[in-house]
Amino acid sequence: MTGPRQPKDMPGLLKFCLEATRNEDAPVQDPDKVLQEMDPERKKWLEEALSSMAVDFIEQLGNGIKILNSDTADLEEKEEVLDKLEDWLGNIDMAVNFHKIGGYSCLKSCLICPHPSLRSGASHLIAEISQNNPYCQEKFVSEGF
C-alpha cells in the first residue's frame, strides 16, 4: 500500500493534507467535493494563507544574485545573502537551478573581492553546492573555479 501522491503546488498540498488526515478528526470521502462545497469566503482565506506562505525560491535566488553583483549593496547585505544561499542551496535541485539561472558569476566576483568575509562565504557556498552533486562539480570545473 502506498501513501498519497506528493503535492506539486498549493492546491495539491491541500488535497494531500485532506487525504492524509481522512481517518483522523474530520473524515472526508472526497477531498475535491469538500473543496467545491467550501464556503467561498473560507476558501478565499485559505488560498490567501497558502499563497502567503509559499516562497518562490527561484525569485529569491535571482534577487540574491542581483545583490551580490550589485556595486551599491553594502557588505552586510551581501554577507546575509551568502548565508541565505547556503541554507537554500543545500538541496541538490536548488543548487542545479542556481547554476542554470547564472548564479556562478556572482560567486566568482565574491572570490576575487577584497572583503575576506565575502571570499569566505563564497568558498563555503561553493563547498555546499558541490558536495555530492556531480552536475555542479562538473560545472565548477568547466567554468574554471
PDB file of all heavy atoms in Angstrom, residues 65-66 68-69 98-99 101-112 140 143 145:
ATOM      1  N   ILE A  65      21.392  36.910  -6.367  1.00  0.00           N
ATOM      2  CA  ILE A  65      22.420  37.105  -7.396  1.00  0.00           C
ATOM      3  C   ILE A  65      22.552  38.592  -7.719  1.00  0.00           C
ATOM      4  O   ILE A  65      23.672  39.115  -7.832  1.00  0.00           O
ATOM      5  CB  ILE A  65      22.071  36.286  -8.664  1.00  0.00           C
ATOM      6  CG1 ILE A  65      22.186  34.797  -8.365  1.00  0.00           C
ATOM      7  CG2 ILE A  65      22.979  36.669  -9.829  1.00  0.00           C
ATOM      8  CD1 ILE A  65      21.578  33.907  -9.447  1.00  0.00           C
ATOM      9  N   LYS A  66      21.422  39.282  -7.848  1.00  0.00           N
ATOM     10  CA  LYS A  66      21.455  40.726  -8.142  1.00  0.00           C
ATOM     11  C   LYS A  66      22.179  41.487  -7.036  1.00  0.00           C
ATOM     12  O   LYS A  66      22.975  42.382  -7.313  1.00  0.00           O
ATOM     13  CB  LYS A  66      20.042  41.268  -8.302  1.00  0.00           C
ATOM     14  CG  LYS A  66      19.369  40.848  -9.581  1.00  0.00           C
ATOM     15  CD  LYS A  66      17.933  41.364  -9.639  1.00  0.00           C
ATOM     16  CE  LYS A  66      17.200  40.773 -10.829  1.00  0.00           C
ATOM     17  NZ  LYS A  66      15.770  41.104 -10.813  1.00  0.00           N
ATOM     18  N   LEU A  68      24.433  40.318  -4.885  1.00  0.00           N
ATOM     19  CA  LEU A  68      25.862  40.000  -4.882  1.00  0.00           C
ATOM     20  C   LEU A  68      26.599  40.650  -6.045  1.00  0.00           C
ATOM     21  O   LEU A  68      27.773  40.987  -5.928  1.00  0.00           O
ATOM     22  CB  LEU A  68      26.073  38.482  -4.904  1.00  0.00           C
ATOM     23  CG  LEU A  68      25.674  37.755  -3.622  1.00  0.00           C
ATOM     24  CD1 LEU A  68      25.788  36.242  -3.807  1.00  0.00           C
ATOM     25  CD2 LEU A  68      26.517  38.217  -2.441  1.00  0.00           C
ATOM     26  N   ASN A  69      25.919  40.850  -7.168  1.00  0.00           N
ATOM     27  CA  ASN A  69      26.546  41.504  -8.325  1.00  0.00           C
ATOM     28  C   ASN A  69      26.457  43.026  -8.259  1.00  0.00           C
ATOM     29  O   ASN A  69      27.067  43.711  -9.073  1.00  0.00           O
ATOM     30  CB  ASN A  69      25.902  41.018  -9.626  1.00  0.00           C
ATOM     31  CG  ASN A  69      26.343  39.622  -9.997  1.00  0.00           C
ATOM     32  OD1 ASN A  69      27.438  39.192  -9.669  1.00  0.00           O
ATOM     33  ND2 ASN A  69      25.478  38.896 -10.677  1.00  0.00           N
ATOM     34  N   PHE A  98      20.405  27.087  -9.295  1.00  0.00           N
ATOM     35  CA  PHE A  98      21.255  28.257  -9.073  1.00  0.00           C
ATOM     36  C   PHE A  98      22.242  28.410 -10.232  1.00  0.00           C
ATOM     37  O   PHE A  98      22.452  29.521 -10.719  1.00  0.00           O
ATOM     38  CB  PHE A  98      21.990  28.111  -7.740  1.00  0.00           C
ATOM     39  CG  PHE A  98      22.839  29.289  -7.363  1.00  0.00           C
ATOM     40  CD1 PHE A  98      22.249  30.493  -7.017  1.00  0.00           C
ATOM     41  CD2 PHE A  98      24.214  29.184  -7.323  1.00  0.00           C
ATOM     42  CE1 PHE A  98      23.029  31.576  -6.650  1.00  0.00           C
ATOM     43  CE2 PHE A  98      25.002  30.264  -6.953  1.00  0.00           C
ATOM     44  CZ  PHE A  98      24.404  31.468  -6.609  1.00  0.00           C
ATOM     45  N   HIS A  99      22.829  27.315 -10.668  1.00  0.00           N
ATOM     46  CA  HIS A  99      23.728  27.391 -11.826  1.00  0.00           C
ATOM     47  C   HIS A  99      22.972  27.802 -13.076  1.00  0.00           C
ATOM     48  O   HIS A  99      23.418  28.654 -13.844  1.00  0.00           O
ATOM     49  CB  HIS A  99      24.437  26.052 -12.071  1.00  0.00           C
ATOM     50  CG  HIS A  99      25.183  26.050 -13.355  1.00  0.00           C
ATOM     51  ND1 HIS A  99      24.668  25.504 -14.513  1.00  0.00           N
ATOM     52  CD2 HIS A  99      26.388  26.584 -13.683  1.00  0.00           C
ATOM     53  CE1 HIS A  99      25.528  25.683 -15.493  1.00  0.00           C
ATOM     54  NE2 HIS A  99      26.577  26.333 -15.013  1.00  0.00           N
ATOM     55  N   ILE A 101      20.395  29.581 -13.523  1.00  0.00           N
ATOM     56  CA  ILE A 101      19.969  30.980 -13.614  1.00  0.00           C
ATOM     57  C   ILE A 101      21.155  31.944 -13.533  1.00  0.00           C
ATOM     58  O   ILE A 101      20.971  33.150 -13.392  1.00  0.00           O
ATOM     59  CB  ILE A 101      18.899  31.334 -12.558  1.00  0.00           C
ATOM     60  CG1 ILE A 101      19.446  31.204 -11.142  1.00  0.00           C
ATOM     61  CG2 ILE A 101      17.649  30.503 -12.748  1.00  0.00           C
ATOM     62  CD1 ILE A 101      18.496  31.751 -10.082  1.00  0.00           C
ATOM     63  N   GLY A 102      22.357  31.412 -13.633  1.00  0.00           N
ATOM     64  CA  GLY A 102      23.544  32.268 -13.714  1.00  0.00           C
ATOM     65  C   GLY A 102      24.171  32.629 -12.389  1.00  0.00           C
ATOM     66  O   GLY A 102      24.888  33.635 -12.299  1.00  0.00           O
ATOM     67  N   GLY A 103      23.962  31.833 -11.377  1.00  0.00           N
ATOM     68  CA  GLY A 103      24.466  32.151 -10.049  1.00  0.00           C
ATOM     69  C   GLY A 103      25.969  32.044  -9.871  1.00  0.00           C
ATOM     70  O   GLY A 103      26.533  32.678  -8.982  1.00  0.00           O
ATOM     71  N   TYR A 104      26.623  31.272 -10.710  1.00  0.00           N
ATOM     72  CA  TYR A 104      28.060  31.089 -10.525  1.00  0.00           C
ATOM     73  C   TYR A 104      28.840  32.372 -10.790  1.00  0.00           C
ATOM     74  O   TYR A 104      29.920  32.576 -10.238  1.00  0.00           O
ATOM     75  CB  TYR A 104      28.574  29.972 -11.422  1.00  0.00           C
ATOM     76  CG  TYR A 104      28.219  28.571 -10.938  1.00  0.00           C
ATOM     77  CD1 TYR A 104      27.266  28.357  -9.964  1.00  0.00           C
ATOM     78  CD2 TYR A 104      28.846  27.475 -11.478  1.00  0.00           C
ATOM     79  CE1 TYR A 104      26.949  27.073  -9.537  1.00  0.00           C
ATOM     80  CE2 TYR A 104      28.542  26.194 -11.054  1.00  0.00           C
ATOM     81  CZ  TYR A 104      27.592  26.007 -10.084  1.00  0.00           C
ATOM     82  OH  TYR A 104      27.286  24.738  -9.660  1.00  0.00           O
ATOM     83  N   SER A 105      28.312  33.264 -11.612  1.00  0.00           N
ATOM     84  CA  SER A 105      29.025  34.513 -11.915  1.00  0.00           C
ATOM     85  C   SER A 105      29.223  35.348 -10.651  1.00  0.00           C
ATOM     86  O   SER A 105      30.291  35.932 -10.457  1.00  0.00           O
ATOM     87  CB  SER A 105      28.268  35.321 -12.964  1.00  0.00           C
ATOM     88  OG  SER A 105      27.001  35.720 -12.462  1.00  0.00           O
ATOM     89  N   CYS A 106      28.216  35.399  -9.782  1.00  0.00           N
ATOM     90  CA  CYS A 106      28.365  36.195  -8.561  1.00  0.00           C
ATOM     91  C   CYS A 106      29.347  35.542  -7.590  1.00  0.00           C
ATOM     92  O   CYS A 106      30.011  36.234  -6.819  1.00  0.00           O
ATOM     93  CB  CYS A 106      27.011  36.440  -7.908  1.00  0.00           C
ATOM     94  SG  CYS A 106      26.198  34.993  -7.237  1.00  0.00           S
ATOM     95  N   LEU A 107      29.451  34.221  -7.641  1.00  0.00           N
ATOM     96  CA  LEU A 107      30.419  33.554  -6.769  1.00  0.00           C
ATOM     97  C   LEU A 107      31.846  33.896  -7.181  1.00  0.00           C
ATOM     98  O   LEU A 107      32.709  34.114  -6.329  1.00  0.00           O
ATOM     99  CB  LEU A 107      30.205  32.038  -6.801  1.00  0.00           C
ATOM    100  CG  LEU A 107      28.895  31.537  -6.197  1.00  0.00           C
ATOM    101  CD1 LEU A 107      28.801  30.020  -6.304  1.00  0.00           C
ATOM    102  CD2 LEU A 107      28.759  31.984  -4.757  1.00  0.00           C
ATOM    103  N   LYS A 108      32.075  33.950  -8.495  1.00  0.00           N
ATOM    104  CA  LYS A 108      33.419  34.331  -8.964  1.00  0.00           C
ATOM    105  C   LYS A 108      33.771  35.731  -8.505  1.00  0.00           C
ATOM    106  O   LYS A 108      34.891  35.978  -8.063  1.00  0.00           O
ATOM    107  CB  LYS A 108      33.491  34.248 -10.489  1.00  0.00           C
ATOM    108  CG  LYS A 108      33.804  32.880 -11.002  1.00  0.00           C
ATOM    109  CD  LYS A 108      34.115  32.914 -12.483  1.00  0.00           C
ATOM    110  CE  LYS A 108      34.538  31.524 -12.920  1.00  0.00           C
ATOM    111  NZ  LYS A 108      34.895  31.477 -14.335  1.00  0.00           N
ATOM    112  N   SER A 109      32.820  36.652  -8.608  1.00  0.00           N
ATOM    113  CA  SER A 109      33.112  38.026  -8.183  1.00  0.00           C
ATOM    114  C   SER A 109      33.359  38.100  -6.680  1.00  0.00           C
ATOM    115  O   SER A 109      34.192  38.886  -6.230  1.00  0.00           O
ATOM    116  CB  SER A 109      31.996  38.978  -8.617  1.00  0.00           C
ATOM    117  OG  SER A 109      30.791  38.661  -7.986  1.00  0.00           O
ATOM    118  N   CYS A 110      32.666  37.275  -5.901  1.00  0.00           N
ATOM    119  CA  CYS A 110      32.900  37.255  -4.456  1.00  0.00           C
ATOM    120  C   CYS A 110      34.278  36.681  -4.118  1.00  0.00           C
ATOM    121  O   CYS A 110      34.927  37.128  -3.168  1.00  0.00           O
ATOM    122  CB  CYS A 110      31.821  36.442  -3.740  1.00  0.00           C
ATOM    123  SG  CYS A 110      30.228  37.258  -3.653  1.00  0.00           S
ATOM    124  N   LEU A 111      34.716  35.709  -4.894  1.00  0.00           N
ATOM    125  CA  LEU A 111      36.018  35.080  -4.626  1.00  0.00           C
ATOM    126  C   LEU A 111      37.185  36.038  -4.863  1.00  0.00           C
ATOM    127  O   LEU A 111      38.243  35.882  -4.245  1.00  0.00           O
ATOM    128  CB  LEU A 111      36.201  33.828  -5.493  1.00  0.00           C
ATOM    129  CG  LEU A 111      35.396  32.606  -5.086  1.00  0.00           C
ATOM    130  CD1 LEU A 111      35.573  31.494  -6.118  1.00  0.00           C
ATOM    131  CD2 LEU A 111      35.780  32.120  -3.704  1.00  0.00           C
ATOM    132  N   ILE A 112      36.997  37.008  -5.731  1.00  0.00           N
ATOM    133  CA  ILE A 112      38.104  37.926  -6.032  1.00  0.00           C
ATOM    134  C   ILE A 112      37.925  39.301  -5.390  1.00  0.00           C
ATOM    135  O   ILE A 112      38.731  40.196  -5.608  1.00  0.00           O
ATOM    136  CB  ILE A 112      38.301  38.089  -7.562  1.00  0.00           C
ATOM    137  CG1 ILE A 112      37.038  38.642  -8.214  1.00  0.00           C
ATOM    138  CG2 ILE A 112      38.716  36.777  -8.192  1.00  0.00           C
ATOM    139  CD1 ILE A 112      37.199  39.000  -9.679  1.00  0.00           C
ATOM    140  N   PHE A 140      31.559  23.622 -11.992  1.00  0.00           N
ATOM    141  CA  PHE A 140      32.624  24.401 -11.351  1.00  0.00           C
ATOM    142  C   PHE A 140      33.950  24.178 -12.063  1.00  0.00           C
ATOM    143  O   PHE A 140      34.691  25.119 -12.316  1.00  0.00           O
ATOM    144  CB  PHE A 140      32.747  24.025  -9.868  1.00  0.00           C
ATOM    145  CG  PHE A 140      31.775  24.720  -8.970  1.00  0.00           C
ATOM    146  CD1 PHE A 140      30.947  24.000  -8.134  1.00  0.00           C
ATOM    147  CD2 PHE A 140      31.673  26.107  -8.930  1.00  0.00           C
ATOM    148  CE1 PHE A 140      30.030  24.625  -7.297  1.00  0.00           C
ATOM    149  CE2 PHE A 140      30.773  26.743  -8.109  1.00  0.00           C
ATOM    150  CZ  PHE A 140      29.945  26.003  -7.284  1.00  0.00           C
ATOM    151  N   GLU A 143      33.911  25.783 -15.623  1.00  0.00           N
ATOM    152  CA  GLU A 143      33.882  27.245 -15.598  1.00  0.00           C
ATOM    153  C   GLU A 143      35.119  27.836 -14.920  1.00  0.00           C
ATOM    154  O   GLU A 143      35.177  29.048 -14.678  1.00  0.00           O
ATOM    155  CB  GLU A 143      32.593  27.744 -14.936  1.00  0.00           C
ATOM    156  CG  GLU A 143      31.364  27.371 -15.779  1.00  0.00           C
ATOM    157  CD  GLU A 143      30.071  27.922 -15.219  1.00  0.00           C
ATOM    158  OE1 GLU A 143      30.107  28.884 -14.414  1.00  0.00           O
ATOM    159  OE2 GLU A 143      29.009  27.390 -15.600  1.00  0.00           O
ATOM    160  N   PHE A 145      36.668  27.318 -11.846  1.00  0.00           N
ATOM    161  CA  PHE A 145      36.780  27.622 -10.429  1.00  0.00           C
ATOM    162  C   PHE A 145      37.960  26.860  -9.896  1.00  0.00           C
ATOM    163  O   PHE A 145      38.653  26.975  -9.121  1.00  0.00           O
ATOM    164  CB  PHE A 145      35.495  27.224  -9.672  1.00  0.00           C
ATOM    165  CG  PHE A 145      34.400  28.239  -9.788  1.00  0.00           C
ATOM    166  CD1 PHE A 145      33.577  28.284 -10.894  1.00  0.00           C
ATOM    167  CD2 PHE A 145      34.185  29.151  -8.781  1.00  0.00           C
ATOM    168  CE1 PHE A 145      32.551  29.198 -11.002  1.00  0.00           C
ATOM    169  CE2 PHE A 145      33.156  30.089  -8.881  1.00  0.00           C
ATOM    170  CZ  PHE A 145      32.350  30.115  -9.998  1.00  0.00           C
TER     171      PHE A 145
END
